[in-house]
Amino acid sequence: LYLNGRLLAEATSISVKVTSNDQLVKTLHKGTAGFADGAGEGSGTIESAIPRKGYEVDFVNAVANKVTFKIVVLSGGRRQQTWARITDASWETKVDATTLITANWIGAMPDSKGG
């Protein structure tokens, strides 16, 4: 997982969802007549540990300042790349547990490239 070219070494998980947003076209005569192409998008969640020295990426600041990131995820021998914004961030601190921050993002349909 990379944000703006920087490896997120403290990330513990990422989930990614791609959505076509296609619309089913229905007509009186034909019934289901096909599809209208939608504006595709990507979205997901990044979970990251918060080291004592501070945030690896300040997701709270990114939400407040509407920062757009280039997100690259390596998966299945492919690089999924998109431009996205962190839309919200949350964290919880507990005794005897790792402090994690969770950031949700939404952006353009990822572009899939080899290796």
Side-chain angles (χ1 to χ4, degrees):
L1 169 62
Y2 295 84
L3 261 61
N4 288 346
R6 180 179 177 192
L7 173 68
L8 287 187
E10 302 296 337
T12 59
S13 70
I14 182 166
S15 66
V16 179
K17 179 179 178 182
V18 294
T19 307
S20 70
N21 290 319
D22 291 349
Q23 298 297 310
L24 187 62
V25 176
K26 297 180 181 180
T27 65
L28 293 174
H29 179 71
K30 294 180 183 178
T32 299
F35 294 90
D37 291 345
E41 66 184 45
S43 61
T45 301
I46 299 168
E47 183 180 76
S48 185
I50 302 174
R52 286 186 184 181
K53 65 180 180 174
Y55 295 116
E56 193 170 34
V57 172
D58 189 342
F59 293 126
V60 176
N61 182 62
V63 173
N65 291 298
K66 303 183 184 308
V67 177
T68 300
F69 289 97
K70 178 181 176 183
I71 298 175
V72 178
V73 179
L74 304 178
S75 176
R78 308 285 294 171
R79 286 177 300 145
Q80 309 294 337
Q81 177 179 303
T82 188
W83 290 94
R85 282 195 178 172
I86 306 298
T87 56
D88 61 90
S90 61
W91 65 96
E92 186 175 79
T93 301
K94 295 181 183 179
V95 173
D96 296 331
T98 303
T99 301
L100 301 172
I101 188 163
T102 301
N104 294 303
W105 59 271
I106 189 166
M109 175 70 80
D111 182 25
S112 183
K113 297 182 179 192

